C-alpha cells in the first residue's frame, strides 16, 4: 500500500531512489515521484503511471546526495500527476512522502488555507509539508516543527521529509511500516526491505512513535517527545537475487516455481522424532487454551480456513474470522482464547487491529507472518515465521503454500498441547509425507497441463471453483487468484452450495474446476455432475485416485500423498491455470489493477 524510499550519504542518490522504487512497485503503481536535495533547492519530479513512466520523464537525472521517493496506491484522489508524491509546501522548500491515511486532513487543510497556504492536489498527504512549513516559522528548529506537525496528525502514517538547505532526512511512523537500512557510507529508509536489499542487509525496524533524523554520517532515533531510544540492528537473511525476476517473465511465475525451495525452508527443523517443534513454542504452551480464533484477510484468510478445518477435526473449538469483521464477529474472548493472526507482510491494518482488540481482552496472540521485525511479529505475544523469502508479485502464491504448511504444523502442535483436543489418527503419516511435499510440488510444476487448459477455456464467460472440506478453501483461493490477475469473473463455492443459487449461472461457457484431496470427494463429484449436465465442462484437480477423474472432461493431476498435502498441490495447479490464463489475456500479472501487495489502511 504505497512504497517509500529515502537515501542519504555520499555520492548521488537518484539512481538508488529509482531502483528502490522499482523494487517497491508491488506496493503501488498508480504514480511515482522523487525529490532530491543538492544544495540548490529541493527538486521534485513526479508523474502518474509506473516507475518506468517517471524515468522516461527525466531527460536529465537530478543530482544530489539526499533524496526521497514514493510509488503510490491511490486512497485520496485519483492517480494524477498532481496527486503523485512527493508533495511540497507553497514555496517548495519542504517535500514529503507518506503512506497511510490522515483522518483529520479536511480540517487541517481548511485551517492552512485560511492562513494563506495553497494546495494543488486532492490528497490527504499535502497537509503535512504545509504543517511543517507553518510550524517552522515559530520553532527553534525544523525537527521541532516536524514534531509539532506529527502531533497534529490523526490517523496512520509513515513519513519521510526533506527541507531545503538541510542535509537531513526526517522520518516518523505510526501504524504504517518503516525500516532503516544501514550501510558503511549511506543510510536508507523504506516501507519494505527489498527497496535497499541490493545495498545492505543491516536493518532497524522502527516502531510506532519513533522519529528518525538521518545525516550523511549519523542517525538518531527518538520518541515524539525527543527522548533518545535504542532499536536493535537485525540482519535480513534474504538474498538480493530472491527479490528479482531472474530468468522468468514475471515475478508471479518465478514465485510459483520457487515454491519447492520456499517450502523446504518452511519445513526445515520443524519435525523432530515424529513430532512438531517450533523454536519459540515451549512444550505445553497452549495447555490452557480452549478456543482458537484465526484472523486474516484475502489469501491469508484462505490459509487460515485450511488450518481451521483441521483444528475442528481435532476437536478444538475454532473460528476463522475475517480481520475486517473481527470487532463485531469475535464473540467472547478471554485468557483461554488463542488468536492466531495470519499476515504475509505482518503489516495488514485490519489484522493488526484484530490483534490489538484480542490483546485488550487478555487473549493470547500469535502471529504467523513472513517478515521478521514486522508490526504483527512485535505486537503479538509470539511469532512464527513462514520463511518463504521475499514475494513481489501482488497475487500471493508461495506465501500461501508456506502459510498453509506452517499452520498445518501448528494445528498438530495445538492438538498435542490442548487436553480437550484429539490428535488425528494419521498424524504420523501426515508428518512423514510432508518430507516429500517440496518434491511433489516440483512434479506438479514439471508436468502440469494448466497452460493447455487455460488456452482451451480462454473464451469462457465465467469460471467456477468448488471443493468440500479442506478443498473448499482451495477453491476459494483458486477463484481469488483467477479474478485478481485475469480480471475475469471467477467464483469459489463449497461443493454442496452450488445447487443453492450459483447453478443458475452455469452454462457451457463456464468451466468448473472441482478440487479434490482424495478424501470426502463424493459430494464434490455429485455437484460437478449437476453442473456438467447443464453443459459446463468439468476439470478435476487432484490425485488420479479421486472419483472425480472418472466423470471429468479434463484432469489436472497431483501426486498421491496425504489428503492435507494433496489439497495444497491442487492449489499449485490452480495458480498455474490463473497465471497462464492471464498471460494469454495479456494482463498486467505482477501489478493487477486496483490492487497492492500490502494493505496498510483500513
Amino acid at each position: 500500500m504505497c512504497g517509500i524510499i529515502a537515501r542519504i550519504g555520499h555520492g548521488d542518490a537518484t539512481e538508488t531512489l529509482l531502483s528502490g522504487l522499482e523494487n517497491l512497485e508491488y506496493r503501488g503503481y498508480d504514480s511515482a515521484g522523487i525529490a532530491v536535495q543538492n544544495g540548490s533547492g529541493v527538486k521534485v519530479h513526479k508523474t502518474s503511471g509506473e516507475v518506468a513512466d517517471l524515468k522516461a520523464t527525466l531527460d536529465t537525472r537530478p543530482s544530489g546526495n539526499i533524496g526521497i521517493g514514493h510509488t503510490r496506491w491511490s486512497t485520496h484522489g485519483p492517480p494524477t500527476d498532481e496527486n503523485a508524491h512527493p508533495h511540497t509546501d507553497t514555496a517548495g522548500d519542504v517535500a514529503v512522502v507518506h503512506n497511510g491515511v490522515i483522518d483529520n486532513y479536511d480540517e487541517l487543510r481548511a485551517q492552512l488555507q485560511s492562513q494563506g497556504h495553497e494546495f494543488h492536489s486532492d490528497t490527504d498527504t499535502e497537509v503535512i509539508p504545509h504543517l511543517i512549513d507553518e510550524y517552522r516559522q515559530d520553532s527553534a528548529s525544523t525537527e521541532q516543527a516536524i514534531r509539532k506537525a506529527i502531533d497534529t496528525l490523526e490517523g496512520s502514517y509513515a513519513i519521510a521529509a526533506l527541507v531545503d538547505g538541510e542535509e537531513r532526512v526526517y522520518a516518523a511512523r505510526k501504524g504504517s511500516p518503516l525500516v532503516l537500512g544501514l550501510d558503511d557510507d549511506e543510510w536508507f529508509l523504506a516501507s519494505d526491505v527489498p527497496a535497499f536489499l541490493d545495498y545492505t542487509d543491516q536493518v532497524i525496524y522502527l516502531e510506532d512513535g519513533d522519529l528518525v533524523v538521518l545525516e550523511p554520517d549519523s542517525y538518531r532515533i527518538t520518541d515524539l517527545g525527543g527522548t533518545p531510544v535504542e532499536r536493535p540492528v537485525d540482519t535480513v537473511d534474504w538474498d538480493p537475487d530472491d527479490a528479482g525476476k531472474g530468468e522468468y517473465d514475471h515475478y508471479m511465475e518465478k514465485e510459483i516455481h520457487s515454491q519447492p525451495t520456499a517450502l523446504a525452508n518452511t519445513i526445515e527443523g520443524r519435525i523432530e522424532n515424529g513430532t512438531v517443534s517450533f523454536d519459540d513454542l515451549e512444550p505445553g504452551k497452549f495447555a490452557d487454551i480452549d478456543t482458537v480464533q484465526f484472523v486474516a484477510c484475502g489469501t491469508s484468510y484462505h490459509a487460515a480456513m485450511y488450518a481451521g478445518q483441521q483444528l475442528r477435526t481435532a476437536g478444538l473449538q475454532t473460528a476463522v474470522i475475517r480481520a475486517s469483521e473481527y470487532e463485531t464477529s469475535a464473540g467472547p474472548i478471554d485468557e483461554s482464547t488463542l488468536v492466531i493472526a495470519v499476515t504475509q507482510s505482518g503489516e495488514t491494518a485490519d489484522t493488526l487491529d484484530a490483534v490489538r482488540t484480542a490483546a485488550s481482552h487478555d487473549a493470547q496472540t500469535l502471529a504467523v507472518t513472513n517478515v521478521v521485525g514486522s508490526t504483527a511479529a512485535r505486537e503479538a505475544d509470539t511469532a512464527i515465521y513462514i520463511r518463504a523469502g521475499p514475494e513481489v508479485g501482488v497475487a500471493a502464491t508461495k506465501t500461501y503454500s508456506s502459510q498453509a504448511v506452517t499452520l498445518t504444523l501448528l494445528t498438530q502442535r495445538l492438538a498435542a498441547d490442548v487436553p480437550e483436543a484429539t490428535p488425528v489418527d494419521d498424524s504420523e503419516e501426515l508428518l512423514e509425507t510432508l518430507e516429500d511435499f517440496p518434491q511433489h510440488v516440483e512434479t506438479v510444476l514439471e508436468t502440469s497441463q494448466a497452460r493447455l487448459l487455460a488456452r482451451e477455456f480462454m473464451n469462457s464467460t465465467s469460471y467456477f471453483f468448488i471443493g468440500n472440506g479442506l478443498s473448499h478453501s482451495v477453491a476459494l483461493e483458486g477463484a481469488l487468484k483467477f479474478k485478481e490477475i485475469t480480471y475475469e469473473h471467477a467464483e469459489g463455492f463449497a461443493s454442496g452450495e452450488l445447487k443453492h443459487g450459483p447453478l443458475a449461472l452455469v452454462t457451457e461457457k463456464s468451466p468448473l474446476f472441482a478440487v479434490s484431496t482424495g478424501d470426502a470427494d463424493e459430494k464434490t463429484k455429485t455437484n460437478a455432475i449437476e453442473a456438467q449436465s447443464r453443459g459446463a465442462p468439468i476439470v478435476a484437480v487432484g490425485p488420479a485416485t479421486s472419483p472425480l477423474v472418472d466423470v471429468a472432461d479434463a484432469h489436472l493431476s497431483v501426486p498421491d500423498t496425504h489428503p492435507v498435502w494433496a489439497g495444497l498441490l491442487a492449489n499449485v495447479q490452480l495458480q498455474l491455470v490463473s497465471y497462464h490464463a492471464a498471460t494469454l489475456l495479456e494482463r498486467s500479472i505482477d501489478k493487477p489493477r486496483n490492487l497492492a501487495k500490502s494493505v496498510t489502511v483500513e
Side-chain angles (χ1 to χ4, degrees):
M1 183 70 76
C2 300
I4 284 175
I5 179 68
R7 183 270 186 192
I8 184 170
H10 303 286
D12 189 58
T14 300
E15 290 302 323
T16 303
L17 295 174
L18 292 172
S19 67
L21 289 180
E22 288 175 326
N23 291 341
L24 285 175
E25 202 165 14
Y26 59 90
R27 296 182 65 92
Y29 32 88
D30 289 340
S31 58
I34 61 172
V36 176
Q37 160 76 283
N38 59 8
S40 60
V42 176
K43 308 298 183 183
V44 175
H45 301 265
K46 60 183 184 176
T47 186
S48 59
E50 300 181 0
V51 176
D53 298 308
L54 172 66
K55 294 174 73 172
T57 68
L58 300 176
D59 296 329
T60 59
R61 297 289 169 92
S63 62
N65 66 315
I66 306 171
I68 57 177
H70 190 269
T71 179
R72 182 173 184 249
W73 191 84
S74 303
T75 55
H76 289 74
T80 63
D81 292 354
E82 292 78 15
N83 289 335
H85 297 213
H87 290 286
T88 65
D89 64 323
T90 303
D93 293 335
V94 180
V96 169
V97 292
H98 161 239
N99 291 349
V101 175
I102 306 303
D103 295 332
N104 60 336
Y105 85 100
D106 277 332
E107 170 192 336
L108 293 173
R109 182 181 178 119
Q111 174 188 323
L112 289 161
Q113 285 175 322
S114 71
Q115 295 169 318
H117 293 262
E118 298 176 5
F119 285 76
H120 303 284
S121 78
D122 304 312
T123 70
D124 55 337
T125 301
E126 197 178 0
V127 301
I128 302 172
H130 288 278
L131 278 174
I132 295 171
D133 175 58
E134 183 67 26
Y135 289 134
R136 284 179 76 210
Q137 299 174 30
D138 300 315
S139 299
S141 66
T142 297
E143 184 175 341
Q144 185 181 33
I146 288 175
R147 292 184 191 282
K148 288 182 180 180
I150 290 171
D151 191 51
T152 307
L153 302 177
E154 296 175 5
S156 62
Y157 54 78
I159 297 165
L162 299 180
V163 177
D164 184 26
E166 298 189 21
E167 278 201 305
R168 296 184 183 91
V169 174
Y170 299 92
R173 69 153 284 178
K174 175 190 172 186
S176 201
L178 201 59
V179 58
L180 173 60
L182 311 176
D183 198 11
D184 292 337
D185 57 358
E186 56 188 341
W187 316 121
F188 304 91
L189 280 163
S191 44
D192 208 351
V193 170
F196 52 71
L197 194 55
D198 288 335
Y199 303 96
T200 183
D201 60 1
Q202 300 298 296
V203 303
I204 294 175
Y205 295 99
L206 301 174
E207 300 189 13
D208 282 357
D210 285 354
L211 187 144
V212 185
V213 180
L214 304 182
E215 297 182 280
D217 297 304
S218 66
Y219 68 88
R220 291 184 289 112
I221 306 174
T222 66
D223 62 21
L224 292 182
T227 302
V229 296
E230 295 290 333
R231 298 285 179 239
V233 178
D234 292 316
T235 299
V236 178
D237 62 0
W238 292 349
D239 188 316
D241 291 340
D242 292 343
K245 281 189 290 191
E247 64 188 30
Y248 295 95
D249 292 331
H250 303 94
Y251 285 109
M252 183 179 180
E253 182 188 18
K254 176 189 175 183
E255 287 154 6
I256 290 172
H257 284 266
S258 69
Q259 287 178 109
T261 299
L263 289 162
N265 291 336
T266 297
I267 298 164
E268 184 179 4
R270 288 178 167 170
I271 303 174
E272 295 181 0
N273 301 318
T275 61
V276 175
S277 173
F278 288 101
D279 290 340
D280 296 327
L281 302 181
E282 65 274 13
K285 181 176 178 63
F286 304 117
D288 296 331
I289 294 299
D290 59 25
T291 302
V292 176
Q293 296 180 337
F294 292 92
V295 292
C297 303
T299 287
S300 295
Y301 177 78
H302 297 152
M305 285 182 65
Y306 205 80
Q309 177 73 22
Q310 295 176 68
L311 268 190
R312 283 188 288 270
T313 300
L316 254 172
Q317 184 172 326
T318 306
V320 184
I321 306 169
R322 289 180 173 84
S324 59
E325 300 176 356
Y326 187 76
E327 190 172 356
T328 56
S329 303
I333 317 166
D334 58 27
E335 65 276 1
S336 63
T337 305
L338 174 65
V339 176
I340 302 173
V342 188
T343 162
Q344 184 280 136
S345 67
E347 303 292 349
T348 308
D350 291 323
T351 305
L352 291 174
D353 281 347
V355 169
R356 291 160 186 158
T357 298
S360 71
H361 289 82
D362 298 323
Q364 296 185 44
T365 57
L366 187 155
V368 177
T369 183
N370 195 36
V371 182
V372 176
S374 61
T375 303
R378 292 197 311 270
E379 293 195 7
D381 297 326
T382 311
I384 295 176
Y385 298 104
I386 67 172
R387 304 172 179 168
E391 184 177 69
V392 176
V394 168
T397 52
K398 67 174 181 174
T399 55
Y400 170 82
S401 299
S402 292
Q403 283 175 335
V405 169
T406 302
L407 289 168
T408 295
L409 292 175
L410 181 60
T411 65
Q412 294 294 300
R413 175 57 194 280
L414 284 164
D417 270 9
V418 179
E420 291 76 15
T422 305
V424 292
D425 295 335
D426 59 354
S427 176
E428 183 176 344
E429 179 192 354
L430 175 70
L431 297 180
E432 285 180 356
T433 52
L434 178 57
E435 295 180 9
D436 297 324
F437 185 56
Q439 183 55 53
H440 285 161
V441 174
E442 187 69 51
T443 299
V444 170
L445 295 171
E446 291 174 351
T447 62
S448 177
Q449 300 299 303
R451 185 195 297 269
L452 295 176
L453 275 177
R455 185 176 295 280
E456 180 179 349
F457 295 129
M458 70 176 294
N459 294 318
S460 301
T461 56
S462 294
Y463 301 80
F464 296 119
F465 300 76
I466 64 170
N468 183 45
L470 283 174
S471 298
H472 176 210
S473 58
V474 176
L476 294 179
E477 175 62 12
L480 177 62
K481 281 294 152 287
F482 201 90
K483 69 183 73 173
E484 278 180 326
I485 62 169
T486 69
Y487 312 154
E488 299 296 310
H489 175 235
E491 291 192 59
F493 308 99
S495 299
E497 290 301 302
L498 189 66
K499 57 184 171 290
H500 295 288
L503 202 59
L505 301 175
V506 168
T507 72
E508 67 279 358
K509 287 287 191 178
S510 50
L512 184 88
F513 292 84
V515 183
S516 65
T517 64
D519 181 44
D521 293 331
E522 287 297 333
K523 184 171 290 187
T524 302
K525 176 182 175 180
T526 300
N527 284 271
I529 291 172
E530 285 194 46
Q532 190 179 49
S533 69
R534 289 157 176 81
I538 304 303
V539 180
V541 188
T545 54
S546 168
L548 281 158
V549 175
D550 295 334
V551 300
D553 300 289
H555 178 211
L556 290 173
S557 181
V558 307
D560 287 332
T561 186
H562 191 282
V564 168
W565 311 129
L568 299 182
L569 293 171
N571 175 70
V572 175
Q573 288 280 23
L574 296 180
Q575 291 173 350
L576 291 167
V577 169
S578 298
Y579 174 76
H580 291 304
T583 301
L584 291 166
L585 292 166
E586 298 183 348
R587 304 303 193 209
S588 180
I589 291 173
D590 289 329
K591 305 171 189 175
R593 69 189 181 199
N594 303 331
L595 300 178
K597 184 68 178 172
S598 178
V599 183
T600 57
V601 297
E602 296 179 18

